Amino acid sequence: MPIKHGVLSNIMPASEFQLIERYFARLGTTRADVVLGVGDDCALLQVPADRQLAVSMDTLVEGIHFFPDVDPESLGHKALAVNLSDLAAMGADPAWVTLALTLPKVDEAWLAGFCRGFARLAARYQVQLVGGDTTRGPLSISVQVHGFVEPGRALRRDQARPGDQIYVTGSLGDAGLALLAAGGGYDAGERLAVLQQQLDWPEPRVAASQALRHLCRCAIDISDGLLADLGHICEKSGLGATIRQAAIPLSEAVADYVHTTGDWSMPLAAGDDYELCLVIPAGQQAQVERIARTLAVPLTLIGQMESGAGIHCVDAAGNKVADLQGGYDHFRNA
């Protein structure tokens, strides 16, 4: 729903309507398919006649998804990025977004930074803010994104077939290692700033999705860890998978961590990477490699889908390595 007044007016120097007008009314780009955006009881949006509407929503909660002292500009970026990542995983083109903010108090410097990060990413992907809500309480951010996909072309999790190849974008484990280092569990040294950038400023792989979606059967974004998220594809498709552990793309920092500790849980089970895991028929490999050379992000073949159940990791000799548990679960890990 469009940004409208909640219960903030009694804790802010300006009225809530002034706050909305100042920070949210023109946040993001302006799209012709938005008939009516922020400022009324409902938004009026025009879905193209030849497209289906893809919708996703995520909530970020202080102390669970981000630290209390996080840079608000990076938080604005990340709040939108993690949702755009879901659209990329479905092969959808971003269009509209709604934003609900729960704030303990009104800090206009914080709001200005948050909106800068949010707006910059929205403009890059031609996304318009069309509504939302504001209220008072513990800091949390809920974002709902809307995108368009051709009928029958969404990258659903239930479409994998035995023999399909599994690819991932980027490198895995960087955000998880940043969290471990921030908690004092690992000394990342001079690489900490690079790892922190991956955690705080994830890049939604929209361009990679748009370039490869016509070849893919299905995809998922890696938010809870490779094993957990690939596991969702396996479950929905009624299949298993084999992952070649040595093929998993690692940054220098994560590679050093794995070499030093022998701990593969960081690239396999840590979350917050927001890379894409793509499942593509084996016969498309030449086309995939050609497209991969045009992308701004690496694309790596790491395994294949198989009949059966479960995900198995093998070493360079093809021998099965010890199974790891899947990634983060909000209730199991509470």
Side-chain angles (χ1 to χ4, degrees):
M1 56 187 168
I3 293 275
K4 60 183 184 179
H5 82 94
V7 292
L8 286 178
S9 56
N10 61 334
I11 59 168
M12 58 184 296
S15 75
E16 187 167 1
F17 293 109
Q18 289 173 323
L19 183 77
I20 292 166
E21 178 66 22
R22 186 176 305 159
Y23 293 106
F24 304 114
R26 287 164 293 279
L27 192 60
T29 193
T30 299
R31 297 177 57 97
D33 49 24
V34 177
V35 180
L36 181 64
V38 172
D40 216 310
D41 288 304
C42 292
L44 299 177
L45 310 170
Q46 185 66 52
V47 180
D50 59 347
R51 293 292 186 270
Q52 292 177 326
L53 185 64
V55 181
S56 183
M57 183 175 183
D58 274 305
T59 296
L60 303 181
V61 179
E62 184 182 65
I64 301 295
H65 301 97
F66 59 90
F67 295 114
D69 60 350
V70 69
D71 171 20
E73 190 167 345
S74 72
L75 185 57
H77 170 99
K78 187 169 185 177
L80 180 55
V82 302
N83 284 273
L84 293 179
S85 183
D86 284 333
L87 290 181
M90 291 296 289
D93 295 321
W96 313 313
V97 62
T98 61
L99 169 65
L101 277 176
T102 301
L103 302 167
K105 64 179 181 178
V106 172
D107 180 336
E108 297 213 26
W110 187 96
L111 276 170
F114 178 89
C115 288
R116 278 196 306 273
F118 193 100
R120 187 179 298 115
L121 189 62
R124 279 177 54 198
Y125 291 104
Q126 294 297 292
V127 173
Q128 182 171 344
L129 181 73
V130 297
D133 196 15
T134 54
T135 190
R136 182 172 61 178
L139 180 59
S140 68
I141 304 149
S142 293
V143 175
Q144 185 178 66
V145 287
H146 311 75
F148 305 143
V149 62
E150 291 184 42
R153 299 302 296 271
L155 304 181
R156 294 170 43 159
R157 299 176 183 179
D158 60 358
Q159 298 299 303
R161 300 290 182 268
D164 286 350
Q165 296 184 318
I166 303 167
Y167 293 82
V168 294
T169 61
S171 59
L172 303 184
D174 298 276
L177 191 56
L179 284 170
L180 183 65
Y186 182 71
D187 182 6
E190 62 184 16
R191 291 171 172 156
L192 179 59
V194 175
L195 293 172
Q196 197 69 38
Q197 176 80 10
Q198 296 296 101
L199 175 65
D200 292 342
W201 297 86
E203 181 60 38
R205 301 305 184 188
V206 175
S209 169
Q210 291 171 334
L212 292 162
R213 62 191 175 189
H214 66 290
L215 301 176
C216 293
R217 290 203 203 273
C218 52
I220 193 168
D221 73 325
I222 303 173
S223 56
D224 295 322
L226 174 64
L227 294 181
D229 292 315
L230 177 58
H232 297 317
I233 291 178
C234 291
E235 179 182 2
K236 290 294 185 180
S237 294
L239 296 174
T242 293
I243 298 299
R244 295 188 295 277
Q245 191 166 270
I248 295 172
L250 309 177
S251 67
E252 288 186 5
V254 175
D256 283 352
Y257 170 83
V258 170
H259 177 74
T260 301
T261 66
D263 178 16
W264 276 91
S265 66
M266 199 58 64
L268 288 172
D272 273 307
D273 283 316
Y274 297 101
E275 298 293 347
L276 288 183
C277 177
L278 305 147
V279 177
I280 302 177
Q284 306 290 348
Q285 187 167 351
Q287 291 189 65
V288 171
E289 291 175 353
R290 176 179 56 79
I291 294 171
R293 290 192 290 270
T294 71
L295 298 177
V297 60
L299 183 70
T300 306
L301 174 62
I302 64 168
Q304 68 179 29
M305 304 298 299
E306 297 180 343
S307 299
I311 301 174
H312 307 292
C313 294
V314 298
D315 61 19
N319 300 312
K320 183 179 176 182
V321 299
D323 288 336
L324 292 169
Q325 294 298 312
Y328 186 82
D329 181 285
H330 280 275
F331 298 98
R332 187 184 66 222
N333 298 103

